[in-house]
Amino acid sequence: MTEREFIDSIAPMVQADMQQSGILASVTIAQACLESAYGTSDLAINARNLFGMKCVLSGNTWTSAWDGVTGYKKQTREQDPSGKEYYVTARFRWYPDIAASIRDHSLYLLQAANGNRLRYEGLSGEKDYRQATAIIKNGGYATDVEYVNKICQVIQRWNLTQYDRKENRTLRICLDAGHYGKYNQSLVDARYYESEAMWKLHLMQKRYLEEYGAEVILTRGSQASDRGLYERGAASAGCDLFVSSHSNAAGKESVDYPVAYCAIDGSADGIGLALVQCVETVMGTVQAARIEHRRGQHGDYYGVVRGATAVKTPGLILEHSFHTNRQATAWLLDDSNLDRLARAEADTIAQYYGLQQTVKSGWVHEDGGERFYLGDTGNYVKNDWYEHDEHWYWFDGSGHMVTDTWYQYNGSWYYLGQDGAMVKGLLEDSGKWYYLDQDGRMTTDPVLLIPDQDGALRWPGLVQ
């Protein structure tokens, strides 16, 4: 197998992994090339281990794709900080296939910790390959002092950034509001119900995600209706992501950390970590965000996540702090805070999946009315007139076109027809006739109508 053939063989698997992990495909491919000698190393051939992953790793408390048992012993070369080389005999992980090696490598980079901090924090979602490689090196992944330069040289030689571009298709996201009706009332503020707050939040998330061109489906049609947990998760079939929004509860009021309960297969770890860190930042929680995995007798402990996993959708439960914490509960009761949180979470998802916000232009039906968006700014017209296709329209404070009514502006009266266009000429309304001049203003002065040669009445400004 040539070097080019090796890259071509692993690229599809690495790109698929990037969709889940958020780690640049160019960096992962370059690491595999460098660390496995383009698939020709002893480890790559005999253990399907492309990255030199040892059986025992620092920060080894993370969910792994390795079976935890099967290993392969060999001698390896290391470097001390001064660049001096030395050799050690180590036991390395054995994988059933290359895809498992790629997945395990990404899971390690996403979850390995040093104390309470992630070793490679900021790697998921990083768009600059040199910076991403520096994060890996600085986290203690490699001892080679030239590691960053070597990885970047491989990326540049083979133009590996081409694999960082995600396919141009519509992202499909399934949003789920935790619980229904009036459920999980706060013990510290009786006004708060988890079911009500999360319903509002997920509708806001939907609106902002759609601004990025994402297709969003909801697991329930109304806040008053319920649906089985597994069924809600399975409703995400064909989607790229399933997110169930919740707020948590604890016995201690001081607890406030945001947490994402991610699928145990690791498929949602990257986006889960990005979202939960977003919640921490926006809500300003005292305790740090985290992701967790909970296993039950039949796979994932949580039914919604188990249902999503069954239809091969990366799934997670996103806990927005604790409604047993007074500060967090008060924060979540403010709709303006929920709106800010929803926008930030939509931005996080968009950044993770490489979406660009679409600029609206022209007529758009939304929020129960018609708006007109200006293509140069992406803003809609409000509290103002706007001329389009030789017709004038008035838009109210919410940006909706006003229709079928009289409207007074700067002391003059105008009539806006059923289609919203300003009426000119003769108008019959409630059995009375009115004349609106060429500027649309209702006239109260005498009007002289003169018959033309065909007998039709004419007046300057009347529609011919």
Side-chain angles (χ1 to χ4, degrees), residues 22-36:
I23 301 171
L24 287 174
S26 60
V27 174
T28 303
I29 294 173
Q31 285 185 288
C33 291
L34 184 66
E35 296 170 27
S36 75

Side-chain angles (χ1 to χ4, degrees), residues 319-384:
E319 298 279 6
H320 297 82
S321 190
F322 285 71
H323 56 255
T324 45
N325 178 281
R326 290 185 186 276
Q327 288 75 24
T329 304
W331 196 95
L332 291 168
L333 278 168
D334 187 331
D335 285 354
S336 65
N337 286 337
L338 290 180
D339 185 79
R340 186 157 56 94
L341 182 60
R343 179 179 287 277
E345 290 176 347
D347 290 345
T348 298
I349 292 172
Q351 181 181 18
Y352 184 86
Y353 288 101
L355 300 180
Q356 298 295 320
Q357 195 160 20
T358 56
V359 177
K360 295 180 182 178
S361 180
W363 292 105
V364 176
H365 180 80
E366 61 183 8
D367 297 338
E370 303 295 329
R371 288 183 171 136
F372 192 90
Y373 280 84
L374 304 175
D376 55 342
T377 65
N379 298 322
Y380 54 76
V381 182
K382 62 180 179 179
N383 283 327
D384 203 358

Side-chain angles (χ1 to χ4, degrees), residues 88-355:
V88 297
T89 298
R91 190 165 176 264
F92 293 84
R93 301 179 177 208
W94 181 93
Y95 298 101
D97 51 51
I98 294 299
S101 174
I102 293 169
R103 186 69 193 131
D104 197 41
H105 175 253
S106 292
L107 288 172
Y108 170 73
L109 292 177
L110 288 174
Q111 300 178 58
N114 186 3
N116 293 325
R117 294 186 61 83
L118 292 172
R119 294 177 68 96
Y120 310 105
E121 187 171 1
L123 176 60
S124 179
E126 175 57 56
K127 302 302 183 186
D128 182 90
Y129 67 81
R130 179 171 287 275
Q131 181 59 31
T133 307
I135 291 172
I136 293 171
K137 172 68 172 70
N138 295 337
Y141 178 90
T143 58
D144 187 342
V145 294
E146 287 296 315
Y147 189 77
V148 174
N149 288 333
K150 289 180 179 179
I151 291 293
C152 292
Q153 287 169 6
V154 174
I155 292 173
Q156 293 159 6
R157 176 189 175 191
W158 297 104
N159 187 29
L160 297 182
T161 54
Q162 64 182 295
Y163 300 109
D164 295 334
R165 293 188 287 271
K166 300 174 184 179
E167 57 181 308
N168 185 22
R169 67 180 183 83
T170 301
L171 186 76
R172 298 188 76 234
I173 301 174
C174 182
L175 297 180
D176 176 63
H179 311 299
Y180 76 105
K182 284 186 173 293
Y183 193 87
N184 277 355
Q185 183 179 28
S186 170
L187 297 177
V188 297
D189 192 324
R191 296 174 299 164
Y192 182 87
Y193 287 87
E194 177 186 358
S195 55
E196 294 179 341
M198 294 303 107
W199 181 262
K200 291 180 183 177
L201 179 65
H202 97 307
L203 292 180
M204 295 173 182
Q205 292 167 339
K206 179 178 187 292
R207 182 170 74 249
Y208 290 128
L209 284 167
E210 288 175 339
E211 290 183 1
Y212 281 101
E215 179 184 351
V216 181
I217 65 172
L218 306 179
T219 58
R220 290 184 285 124
S222 82
Q223 197 267 338
S225 63
D226 195 14
R227 193 176 183 183
L229 296 174
Y230 184 92
E231 184 184 359
R232 279 155 53 191
S236 67
C239 290
D240 300 282
L241 179 65
F242 171 84
V243 179
S244 182
S245 292
H246 293 254
S247 58
N248 218 333
K252 291 184 178 180
E253 187 177 321
S254 59
V255 177
D256 76 341
Y257 61 84
V259 58
Y261 296 109
C262 299
I264 58 176
D265 64 3
S267 61
D269 286 359
I271 184 59
L273 181 62
L275 281 171
V276 80
Q277 289 175 336
C278 168
V279 175
E280 176 190 349
T281 299
V282 176
M283 292 190 67
T285 60
V286 175
Q287 296 170 318
R290 63 199 69 180
I291 64 172
E292 294 183 13
H293 307 86
R294 293 195 174 179
R295 184 181 295 273
Q297 292 182 344
H298 305 289
D300 281 283
Y301 174 80
Y302 295 105
V304 288
V305 178
R306 193 165 62 251
T309 299
V311 294
K312 302 187 182 307
T313 303
L316 63 100
I317 291 174
L318 186 60
E319 298 279 6
H320 297 82
S321 190
F322 285 71
H323 56 255
T324 45
N325 178 281
R326 290 185 186 276
Q327 288 75 24
T329 304
W331 196 95
L332 291 168
L333 278 168
D334 187 331
D335 285 354
S336 65
N337 286 337
L338 290 180
D339 185 79
R340 186 157 56 94
L341 182 60
R343 179 179 287 277
E345 290 176 347
D347 290 345
T348 298
I349 292 172
Q351 181 181 18
Y352 184 86
Y353 288 101
L355 300 180

Side-chain angles (χ1 to χ4, degrees), residues 385 407-414 440-444:
W385 294 100
Y407 183 73
Q408 189 176 37
Y409 180 77
N410 287 344
S412 297
W413 284 96
Y414 300 81
R441 290 187 295 262
M442 182 188 74
T443 182
T444 56

